[in-house]
Amino acid sequence: YRALLDTLELSDSRLTLQLQGNITRVKINELKPLKPRFEVPDVHSVFGYICLDDNGLVLSLGVESQRLIVSARPFRLDIMEGPEVLLSLNSRGLLAFEHLRLRGGKDKEEDGLWEETFKSHTDSKPNGPTAVSLDFSLPGVEHVYGIPEHADNLKLKTTDGGEPYRLYNLDVFQYELYNPMALYGAVPVMLAHNTQRTMGIFWLNAAETWVDISSNTGSSETPQTDVRWISESGIIDVFIMLGPKPSDVFTQYASLTGTQSFPPLTGLAYHQCRWNYNDQDDVKAVDEGFDQHDIPCDFIWLDIEHTDGKRYFTWDPHKFPQPKDMLQGIKDKRRKMVAIVDPHIKVDSGYKIHNEIRDKNFYVKNKDGGDYEGWCWPGNSGYPDFTNPEMRAWWASMFAYDQYEGSMENLYTWNDMNEPSVFNGPEVTMHKDAMHGHWEHRDVHNLYGLYHRATAEGQIQRSGGTERPFVLTRAFFAGSQRYGAVWTGDNAAEWDHLKISVPMCLSLGLVGISLCGADVGGFFKSPSAELLVRWYQTGAYQPFFRAHAHLDTPRREPWLFGPENTALIREAIRQRYALLPYWYQQFYQAHKTGQPVMRALWVEYPKDTATFTIDDEFLIGRDLLVHTVTEEGARGVTAYLPGLGEVWYDVHTFQKHNGAQNLYIPVTMSSIPVFQRGGSIIPRKVRVRRSSECMENDPYTLFVALSPQRVAEGELYIDDGHTFNFQTKKEFIHRGLSFVNNVLTSKYTSVDFEFDASMSVLTLRKPGMNAGADWAVVLL
Amino acid sequence: MKSITQMLVMMILVVGFGSAVEVLRPRGVPLSKRQFYEEDKPFTCLDGSRTIPFDRVNDDYCDCKDGSDEPGTAACPNASFHCTNSGYRPTFIPSSRINDGICDCCDTTDEYNSGAKCENTCRDLGRKEQEVLQKMAEITKEGFLLKQQLIQEGKNGQQEKQNKLNELQNSKKELEEKVEALRTTVKETAEQPEKEAKERHLKAWEEQKAAVQAEKDKNKMAEAFLELDDDADGLVSVVELQSHMELDSDADGSVSEAEAQALLGGVDRVDTAAFESVWSNIKDKYVSESQPVDAAPADATPEEIKEPVTDNDSDQYPNDEDLPEEEEDEEDEDDDYPEEDAPPTARTPEKKDENEEAMPPYDDATQALIDGAQKARENFEESERALRDMDDQIRNIEKEISFDFGPEGEFSYLYSQCYELTTSEYIYRLCPFNRVSQKPKYGGSETNLGTWGTWAGPESNKYLVMKYEHGTGCWQGPNRSTTVKLTCGKETVVTSTSEPSRCEYLMEFITPAVCQEPSSTDPQRNHDEF
């Protein structure tokens, strides 16, 4: 690539085009703004260089047949491949750019331009109107996905005649389903897919954003989807990812915002949470409860009540007087804990954290320059300005063992309420005219939740840079995948909420955030035993597997619903633990390549239109297919098994089914349908113990599911499970496994085997080889 | 093997793992099952499902469905491992806890290949357990003795209550009869004569009053006749009537001849005899010539005159107006009492007039009947009250007796007692068989954490748990309820409270009443595997 030209002038705006591989960046800003407009930092990596053709109007893209055509008057940008238009910008002429202006100019002042009121709140809007907007046309596209977080189906709906999809991080009380309303997080990335190609649009803007989708579906014309993005402030900065395969789009997006952090293995195990475990004795009793009922568990979580008066980084002196004793007791069981640390800081001159933030001038300011204060759990609270790198460095240092009293290496962190939640603010969040340094909150709002990175960095630092962090966040933005886990917020103990957890996490996976989960059991309200069991069975096959419950609900630890349900929940959790090697391997891949772990079917079967709207079923990696059971009293479900000429094996019965069919599967309470793809090799650890750490030296069991061609492939990834040594010292084992011509490679060793002809199941008995060495198993 | 077309292949890889440790006696097998594991003989899975060479026992691979071939490794998910725990209690642990890096068996035998640094703590534990058991045994022994007392006391108490109840029920019968008898006495023997005597007295008085009134009227008429008869001719004429303006019936300011004539019954004059009927027409209007016209207000109705008097009475006896009629008689009696100052009566002449019109005191015979009736009524009421009290007592005892105080009544001593526990924030109060409450330590009102519901222990012994329900409702939650767990101890005391789930409280309560008879066997007996 070479730089030829980097700027096109577009009336009084500056258009910058940057091209790199199959990504085109279109940046539109004012040529000479009155003052700088906000450009989102900290999200994307350094973007490479620019390539324009000599004539400046037709540019060749990475692939030879692709061209980018810029038309000047009216402005329009088309991306072509051969004779086909893949995507057009401003084809509908909806490009709008409200230039910064001086108040009291010759324009007549309209209502709302320089001041707005929402209920009892006033937004002073000192910069006046600053919105930006652009439209995109996608010829040949009927299916668009992404732009989380919404409690809606996987396939995005058209918004004609209704509200657009809104991206504005909010602490929503009891959110509604199948609704484009904004939720806790925002990733302004949309994927467009048809049988030929997958593309992505990344609208890099952290202000309140609306997305309108319209489609001509149903008409006789070539299908086309039109999308319009509108943001309240900032600039237009769009990355167009041209695929063409789904995996290419993931790679392209990962090259911009990074990949999923590689969580410690334990983070993929089972988490037991509740608002709140009352005291140290309670924690001990819950820990013992898991052992008494022989249910594996890696984490016990503490919500806000563990603190001294909602002062984070502290412990309630009566309920948790000896946190280290408690943590040591948990550590003796090779388990971990998580304590919540929210970003609202109690305004209290007796509170060290508050005093330091105030003294260092690290708080977000109000429009008049004083420290911004709002109402949250502790009462009157300040909000640290996480957009300030110095603030983040200081915050990270607070996780040092000598700073965070009572913390130990097996204590991890949960950042909640970081939309941020302000109980007495407009829409329960921060006033838009609050100030983060020079920038208004308006500009940075959706970015605030990204900065749980400071917590992740703090955890890395406390270990001297060796240990991988584990942080859960509720708010998020593009790039949040680099720092930890997210969950779908305050859901409810209802069947529809169980159902929606699948498309919600699938949508997040499409935009890079793989470590996603929903509160098992539902946060609000109280689940029936049947719903709880089904939720465990589903949660066991979703990436972040945590049970959580509201303070006002009755207790619901897994053993409180009678011996039968305890056994069902035990079995669900045990299935998860047995599959941890596979999960871990998937996250290693996600970390390396940016491919989603929990995967929509169309991602693996992009030419099979039957998969395009499926969101009651999903893949884990390529090789496991899960169908949810989200109906009360269900006796069976109809699952779509994709892949013409492929076969799928029921993991519970080893029964074999052909692909490319809708299959009715009777279900009982004992499990939900899960299938292994013929042609895959999946590693498990079948000696399920009380925590994942207890299983670290246990043998692997390979489940080899042959394709109709009698071959199978898989891999095995092994490292220490918790440090960065896999990266820094290359301390890991990563083997390709294959079964071809009745030979399982990599190295020969003689083994006993058993063959069950009725089920086509062959069991190799005690092969006894070292997983780290080359080996092959030959069947003669 | 060419016949294998599609299949699942399972195999196990061992990662950095040493081979299973050789042991002479199969690891993890309890003595009781040793005979099934005979070296050098094929091993049959304990469920009989298959037979395998003995070298596959504890070879770290699961061959038997029941897990019996791997008692000493973690290979089978459903197997269990036997810890001998010499010096302490032998136990089984799930085989998933073998070599998991956590010391489960106090004799360290579960961690033979994990690198976990376990210390043999069996002797310590054994000693401590011995101490605890001994202490518990002592407590149980003493507690059980106390329980016997409680049972005895309970029985006695119960017997007393039953006796008392029987007694009360008998007395109640008597009392009921008495009340009935009194009711009859009052009605027939006392009130009937009283009523008759009173009526007689009243009638006599009314007759006397009428006679007096007639006499008075007659005198008045005679006076009026004399006054009207200006010409003293023994006749009252039209003209004579015309001078009395107050008799102006059509209010035209004068008494016309016709009017006067009409008053006289159509004649011009009447004599004294005929005047009687004229008088009855005019007596209400007629104004005596000897009285000034102004004095009319003085003629105001007796009621008006009485008013201040009654006021005074009211002041003195504010409740008089509310008193039932019967008691007005008493008031009348009171009036006759000499020590009564009765200043209102002395103060106004009008009152004197009233007194003249008041009913004369009852004669002695009537008064005696009244007093007798009053006394009978009082007796009757008193007996009725006594009956009501007795009913209450019976109800209370019946309620108490109806509580389930345990198979031997050992919990009866808790009835109508309360036990408190003070925590950092609250004072908790358990009143067995009644209610549980919570009160902030530093002011604030009491919250009901539940009223007595039922025994809720396990099937084997429901008397180990009490349930209190339907307490004060919780915001967005259930009504508060409390579970009270009872354990054996010498004292009766609440030892802890907690709120494991929102608005569901848990209380630990020690009482001798749940102490079981100490087993005659020696706890040492358990240590059978030294």
Side-chain angles (χ1 to χ4, degrees):
Chain A
Y1 297 109
R2 61 204 168 93
L4 291 175
L5 179 65
D6 73 342
T7 298
L8 292 165
E9 283 186 18
L10 181 75
S11 56
D12 55 352
S13 292
R14 176 201 303 268
L15 171 76
T16 311
L17 286 175
Q18 292 177 309
L19 311 171
Q20 175 181 291
N22 262 6
I23 305 172
T24 301
R25 181 183 192 178
V26 180
K27 212 169 153 182
I28 304 174
N29 199 347
E30 292 184 50
L31 196 57
K32 288 170 187 158
L34 285 171
K35 50 174 156 176
R37 295 180 68 115
F38 184 68
E39 298 184 35
V40 177
D42 301 322
V43 168
H44 64 89
S45 55
V46 177
F47 197 72
Y49 267 91
I50 304 142
C51 168
L52 288 189
D53 246 48
D54 287 343
N55 63 19
L57 286 176
V58 178
L59 320 168
S60 289
L61 294 180
V63 179
E64 294 228 342
S65 61
Q66 285 181 353
R67 287 159 300 140
L68 189 150
I69 301 169
V70 182
S71 316
R73 217 173 263 123
F75 166 71
R76 180 183 167 117
L77 192 148
D78 294 283
I79 298 175
M80 314 274 295
E81 184 176 59
E84 302 284 324
V85 177
L86 301 180
L87 180 144
S88 307
L89 268 67
N90 202 34
S91 60
R92 291 190 292 162
L94 296 174
L95 170 65
F97 208 108
E98 290 184 318
H99 286 239
L100 292 169
R101 62 188 92 171
L102 291 170
R103 191 170 190 172
K106 55 182 185 282
D107 302 338
K108 189 167 166 276
E109 209 164 290
E110 289 171 46
D111 271 359
L113 289 188
W114 294 89
E115 185 175 287
E116 267 183 76
T117 53
F118 173 77
K119 293 188 177 167
S120 63
H121 303 283
T122 301
D123 177 3
S124 63
K125 293 185 77 171
N127 295 318
T130 57
V132 295
S133 162
L134 184 61
D135 70 277
F136 301 81
S137 293
L138 297 155
V141 170
E142 288 180 88
H143 293 84
V144 288
Y145 306 95
I147 56 169
E149 182 179 33
H150 300 102
D152 208 344
N153 286 108
L154 176 64
K155 176 192 182 300
L156 297 172
K157 292 166 184 149
T158 59
T159 58
D160 298 328
E163 291 277 299
Y165 284 96
R166 187 181 185 208
L167 295 171
Y168 191 60
N169 294 354
L170 291 176
D171 177 5
V172 181
F173 179 74
Q174 295 187 344
Y175 56 78
E176 292 166 31
L177 306 186
Y178 307 106
N179 189 318
M181 69 197 266
L183 291 180
Y184 312 93
V187 184
V189 174
M190 179 184 282
L191 271 63
H193 177 72
N194 60 26
T195 53
Q196 303 304 310
R197 174 179 292 274
T198 310
M199 292 182 290
I201 299 168
F202 173 25
W203 175 268
L204 179 54
N205 190 305
E208 180 177 0
T209 296
W210 303 85
V211 185
D212 257 316
I213 299 169
S214 59
S215 161
N216 66 351
T217 305
S219 72
S220 55
E221 302 163 49
T222 317
Q224 175 167 322
T225 297
D226 294 300
V227 180
R228 184 190 187 190
W229 296 71
I230 306 166
S231 289
E232 191 189 355
S233 68
I235 62 165
I236 293 173
D237 192 357
V238 190
F239 297 81
I240 294 153
M241 299 164 285
L242 292 172
K245 295 198 300 292
S247 58
D248 296 329
V249 176
F250 301 136
T251 306
Q252 288 150 14
Y253 180 63
S255 75
L256 293 172
T257 66
T259 61
Q260 175 66 51
S261 65
F262 189 26
L265 174 64
T266 186
L268 299 174
Y270 175 65
H271 300 258
Q272 180 66 42
C273 186
R274 172 174 183 81
W275 175 23
N276 213 100
Y277 287 120
N278 298 329
D279 50 30
Q280 288 180 214
D281 286 346
D282 198 2
V283 169
K284 193 162 177 255
V286 170
D287 173 60
E288 284 168 0
F290 279 98
D291 287 348
Q292 276 160 22
H293 298 90
D294 199 18
I295 298 172
C297 175
D298 269 44
F299 274 89
I300 296 174
W301 290 51
L302 296 176
D303 208 325
I304 52 175
E305 311 298 331
H306 84 277
T307 60
D308 181 7
K310 317 296 188 296
R311 293 172 186 84
Y312 305 106
F313 300 101
T314 71
W315 304 83
D316 184 298
H318 300 294
K319 299 170 184 163
F320 295 90
Q322 305 293 341
K324 283 194 177 176
D325 288 356
M326 172 182 66
L327 286 163
Q328 186 61 50
I330 296 297
K331 194 180 172 207
D332 291 344
K333 296 281 192 65
R334 308 185 80 174
R335 290 185 176 131
K336 282 93 186 166
M337 292 192 75
V338 164
I340 199 165
V341 174
D342 285 351
H344 48 259
I345 302 301
K346 186 178 175 70
V347 174
D348 168 12
S349 59
Y351 178 29
K352 182 187 88 169
I353 298 285
H354 162 71
N355 288 341
E356 288 204 29
I357 297 175
R358 188 196 51 208
D359 295 348
K360 292 176 193 295
N361 213 22
F362 281 160
Y363 275 126
V364 174
K365 305 293 178 196
N366 60 35
K367 65 178 163 53
D368 303 316
D371 285 347
Y372 178 90
E373 288 183 3
W375 201 259
C376 211
W377 295 124
N380 206 26
S381 305
Y383 291 78
D385 183 1
F386 284 99
T387 66
N388 176 351
E390 287 174 45
M391 160 63 209
R392 295 203 297 269
W394 174 85
W395 179 267
S397 75
M398 288 298 101
F399 289 89
Y401 297 121
D402 59 350
Q403 291 293 326
Y404 189 167
E405 280 177 37
S407 68
M408 280 181 29
E409 62 274 20
N410 67 332
L411 180 68
Y412 295 83
T413 313
W414 170 17
N415 288 160
D416 196 358
M417 313 292 280
N418 50 348
E419 293 76 22
S421 178
V422 180
F423 290 164
N424 59 341
E427 294 189 89
V428 199
T429 191
M430 192 171 275
H431 293 74
K432 284 178 171 173
D433 54 10
M435 298 298 289
H436 300 252
H438 297 302
W439 301 109
E440 280 191 277
H441 183 69
R442 186 188 326 279
D443 297 313
V444 307
H445 177 85
N446 286 346
L447 203 51
Y448 193 80
L450 175 74
Y451 294 118
H452 63 288
R453 73 179 270 190
T455 304
E457 282 159 2
Q459 277 185 17
I460 296 170
Q461 282 169 24
R462 70 175 186 180
S463 71
T466 60
E467 295 288 324
R468 282 180 251 157
F470 183 81
V471 182
L472 176 70
T473 178
R474 191 170 69 184
F476 51 81
F477 189 65
S480 283
Q481 68 270 18
R482 301 197 298 262
Y483 308 114
V486 305
W487 93 108
T488 61
D490 298 344
N491 61 358
E494 292 168 5
W495 288 95
D496 277 352
H497 274 267
L498 167 58
K499 199 178 166 103
I500 206 78
S501 70
V502 174
M504 286 180 83
C505 281
L506 285 177
S507 294
L508 279 165
L510 292 174
V511 300
I513 299 177
S514 269
L515 193 43
C516 167
D519 286 345
V520 170
F523 178 66
F524 290 112
K525 305 186 182 173
S526 205
S528 66
E530 185 188 354
L531 174 57
L532 186 68
V533 168
R534 288 294 185 212
W535 212 316
Y536 269 101
Q537 290 170 343
T538 309
Y541 288 91
Q542 290 176 345
F544 173 55
F545 182 24
R546 183 186 74 149
H548 187 32
H550 190 277
L551 184 70
D552 288 332
T553 61
R555 292 289 281 247
R556 59 167 95 134
E557 284 68 52
W559 50 87
L560 295 176
F561 295 81
E564 274 180 38
N565 292 309
T566 303
L568 292 170
I569 294 171
R570 178 192 297 123
E571 176 54 27
I573 299 178
R574 289 173 71 100
Q575 285 178 24
R576 170 58 165 239
Y577 274 72
L579 271 173
L580 280 175
Y582 182 71
W583 278 104
Y584 192 54
Q585 190 168 301
Q586 296 309 311
F587 271 91
Y588 178 72
Q589 289 294 353
H591 175 66
K592 286 305 213 190
T593 67
Q595 305 300 306
V597 172
M598 185 173 160
R599 220 169 269 182
L601 265 65
W602 64 261
V603 169
E604 289 299 328
Y605 299 89
K607 293 188 186 306
D608 182 354
T609 54
T611 64
F612 290 5
T613 59
I614 290 178
D615 60 8
D616 56 358
E617 157 177 337
F618 57 91
L619 293 159
I620 301 164
R622 290 174 63 202
D623 300 334
L624 278 181
L625 177 71
V626 180
H627 194 292
T628 56
V629 178
T630 56
E631 303 286 332
E632 188 165 19
R635 310 284 287 274
V637 294
T638 301
Y640 180 72
L641 301 183
L644 191 61
E646 293 200 26
V647 291
W648 293 89
Y649 295 85
D650 186 317
V651 301
H652 308 302
T653 63
F654 299 135
Q655 200 178 347
K656 190 174 68 185
H657 304 285
N658 290 324
Q661 65 157 332
N662 281 304
L663 180 69
Y664 180 79
I665 305 149
V667 296
T668 63
M669 276 313 292
S670 66
S671 61
I672 62 171
V674 182
F675 302 91
Q676 181 175 347
R677 190 175 58 81
S680 66
I681 302 173
I682 287 183
R684 281 188 170 88
K685 283 190 174 183
V686 294
R687 300 182 180 186
V688 174
R689 303 186 189 251
R690 63 185 129 197
S691 75
S692 66
E693 198 182 311
C694 292
M695 295 158 66
E696 61 179 334
N697 292 320
D698 281 338
Y700 291 81
T701 301
L702 299 181
F703 285 71
V704 182
L706 296 188
S707 71
Q709 294 73 37
R710 284 176 284 150
V711 297
E713 281 189 337
E715 55 187 90
L716 187 58
Y717 175 83
I718 303 170
D719 65 14
D720 64 22
H722 58 97
T723 72
F724 285 108
N725 291 349
F726 77 97
Q727 211 164 43
T728 54
K729 301 181 183 168
K730 303 291 171 209
E731 287 180 359
F732 62 86
I733 295 165
H734 194 192
R735 311 294 298 188
L737 308 171
S738 74
F739 185 98
V740 183
N741 295 330
N742 289 349
V743 181
L744 180 57
T745 49
S746 46
K747 191 189 173 191
Y748 172 81
T749 179
S750 74
V751 289
D752 291 345
F753 64 85
E754 289 158 22
F755 181 60
D756 178 349
S758 66
M759 294 305 301
S760 298
V761 175
L762 178 86
T763 304
L764 295 183
R765 192 180 181 284
K766 277 193 83 182
M769 48 253 195
N770 187 326
D774 290 349
W775 50 261
V777 177
V778 182
L779 303 181
L780 299 169
Chain B
M1 288 318 302
K2 294 268 157 65
S3 63
I4 302 170
T5 50
Q6 292 171 26
M7 59 189 179
L8 270 167
V9 184
M10 281 181 281
M11 53 181 287
I12 289 183
L13 308 180
V14 178
V15 181
F17 215 81
S19 58
V21 175
E22 293 287 327
V23 281
L24 289 172
R25 192 185 119 195
R27 196 191 293 272
V29 177
L31 282 180
S32 57
K33 287 183 180 165
R34 191 172 45 179
Q35 70 273 20
F36 301 119
Y37 297 84
E38 271 189 77
E39 206 156 342
D40 300 328
K41 281 192 184 163
F43 174 75
T44 302
C45 303
L46 295 188
D47 63 0
S49 57
R50 65 187 291 199
T51 299
I52 53 171
F54 191 79
D55 61 7
R56 289 193 179 184
V57 170
N58 275 347
D59 72 340
D60 208 25
Y61 186 87
C62 193
D63 292 286
C64 295
K65 280 200 171 117
D66 67 353
S68 56
D69 64 314
E70 298 294 318
T73 77
C76 294
N78 50 348
S80 48
F81 176 85
H82 185 260
C83 315
T84 306
N85 289 348
S86 293
Y88 189 54
R89 228 175 318 131
T91 187
F92 286 95
I93 60 167
S95 63
S96 67
R97 293 181 193 172
I98 299 168
N99 291 326
D100 69 348
I102 300 166
C103 310
D104 291 287
C105 301
C106 64
D107 65 4
T108 76
T109 51
D110 61 316
E111 296 299 315
Y112 57 85
N113 201 13
S114 71
K117 292 187 182 69
C118 301
E119 278 176 39
N120 190 321
T121 55
C122 290
R123 300 227 165 259
D124 263 5
L125 285 172
R127 200 172 49 242
K128 274 181 198 149
E129 189 191 47
Q130 206 54 39
E131 284 166 17
V132 170
L133 284 176
Q134 240 156 39
K135 209 169 167 191
M136 272 305 298
E138 275 166 37
I139 288 173
T140 308
K141 203 170 144 195
E142 286 181 48
F144 189 70
L145 283 177
L146 287 170
K147 181 181 174 180
Q148 299 314 307
Q149 283 178 29
L150 293 176
I151 290 170
Q152 201 46 54
E153 281 167 24
K155 271 189 185 142
N156 294 346
Q158 197 76 355
Q159 196 50 53
E160 259 172 49
K161 301 253 158 55
Q162 194 57 53
N163 292 345
K164 174 94 188 178
L165 185 63
N166 294 344
E167 201 181 290
L168 282 170
Q169 273 162 343
N170 288 336
S171 317
K172 186 186 165 186
K173 245 175 240 156
E174 283 172 29
L175 196 53
E176 274 171 343
E177 283 164 17
K178 188 179 164 195
V179 166
E180 271 321 297
L182 280 173
R183 195 192 305 280
T184 319
T185 312
V186 167
K187 277 223 172 88
E188 294 171 7
T189 326
E191 285 190 335
Q192 194 57 33
E194 179 202 31
K195 192 179 162 204
E196 286 163 11
K198 271 181 161 177
E199 277 168 5
R200 269 198 306 280
H201 179 82
L202 191 66
K203 201 174 164 201
W205 180 54
E206 270 166 6
E207 280 166 6
Q208 191 193 334
K209 269 202 297 193
V212 168
Q213 191 60 36
E215 187 58 34
K216 267 186 181 172
D217 206 37
K218 212 172 176 180
N219 292 343
K220 250 187 179 166
M221 184 180 70
E223 273 171 39
F225 190 88
L226 287 175
E227 271 179 16
L228 282 170
D229 186 11
D230 290 335
D231 54 4
D233 63 349
L235 294 169
V236 171
S237 66
V238 168
V239 180
E240 283 163 348
L241 269 184
Q242 276 179 305
S243 68
H244 278 261
M245 295 302 289
E246 73 271 18
L247 301 178
D248 174 15
S249 57
D250 60 1
D252 64 350
S254 66
V255 180
S256 68
E257 229 173 280
E259 280 177 84
Q261 205 166 19
L263 285 173
L264 291 180
V267 296
D268 286 344
R269 54 183 58 80
V270 293
D271 60 8
T272 45
F275 186 71
E276 260 184 62
S277 61
V278 176
W279 175 244
S280 67
N281 282 340
I282 65 168
K283 68 179 175 190
D284 294 334
K285 291 181 184 171
Y286 178 77
V287 177
S288 167
E289 285 165 20
S290 64
Q291 269 178 308
V293 181
D294 309 296
D299 245 354
T301 57
E303 283 79 15
E304 280 177 277
I305 297 160
K306 248 173 103 181
E307 233 174 334
V309 181
T310 30
D311 272 355
N312 281 336
D313 281 349
S314 300
D315 284 347
Q316 221 166 355
Y317 314 106
N319 289 327
D320 276 2
E321 283 163 326
D322 297 324
L323 286 175
E325 223 179 317
E326 296 178 327
E327 291 188 27
E328 273 176 3
D329 292 341
E330 287 179 75
E331 192 191 312
D332 290 346
E333 284 167 4
D334 284 350
D335 284 349
D336 294 338
Y337 289 158
E339 66 266 30
E340 184 55 34
D341 285 340
T345 52
R347 209 165 53 199
T348 53
E350 288 81 4
K351 180 70 186 179
K352 279 284 178 214
D353 293 342
E354 280 299 301
N355 277 352
E356 281 168 10
E357 286 176 24
M359 188 168 69
Y362 293 116
D363 59 57
D364 287 350
T366 308
Q367 190 58 50
L369 283 173
I370 291 170
D371 290 349
Q374 184 58 30
K375 187 117 186 161
R377 274 190 294 269
E378 279 166 19
N379 276 342
F380 170 68
E381 279 153 21
E382 201 180 301
S383 306
E384 250 191 351
R385 250 196 307 278
L387 184 59
R388 277 198 299 272
D389 288 349
M390 196 172 279
D391 271 338
D392 285 347
Q393 279 185 53
I394 288 170
R395 257 198 304 280
N396 283 339
I397 294 173
E398 277 176 343
K399 185 180 164 200
E400 192 176 338
I401 286 175
S402 75
F403 276 107
D404 181 355
F405 288 133
E408 298 179 275
E410 61 267 43
F411 297 101
S412 62
Y413 81 106
L414 298 173
Y415 188 76
S416 75
Q417 301 294 311
C418 289
Y419 303 90
E420 285 189 351
L421 178 73
T422 305
T423 66
S424 56
E425 281 176 85
Y426 297 101
I427 300 167
Y428 290 87
R429 195 174 159 88
L430 166 66
C431 304
F433 305 103
N434 184 7
R435 69 200 291 264
V436 183
S437 61
Q438 173 202 56
K439 196 175 172 168
K441 211 161 155 188
Y442 307 106
S445 58
E446 195 181 76
T447 307
N448 180 358
L449 304 186
T451 50
W452 167 248
T454 162
W455 290 105
E459 255 175 60
S460 56
N461 184 0
K462 68 170 177 170
Y463 299 102
L464 291 176
V465 177
M466 289 172 155
K467 188 91 190 154
Y468 293 81
E469 300 157 321
H470 310 300
T472 313
C474 271
W475 184 78
Q476 276 213 338
N479 283 0
R480 287 172 176 80
S481 64
T482 303
T483 300
V484 181
K485 283 192 177 165
L486 283 66
T487 46
C488 164
K490 288 186 280 185
E491 296 166 322
T492 301
V493 61
V494 176
T495 54
S496 79
T497 64
S498 56
E499 189 183 354
S501 198
R502 192 71 158 170
C503 300
E504 290 176 14
Y505 296 81
L506 179 66
M507 200 171 251
E508 309 239 6
F509 186 52
I510 286 180
T511 162
V514 293
C515 293
Q516 297 294 322
E517 183 164 15
S519 61
S520 51
T521 53
D522 185 351
Q524 199 75 25
R525 201 178 61 113
N526 289 329
H527 299 272
D528 55 351
E529 293 201 30
F530 276 94

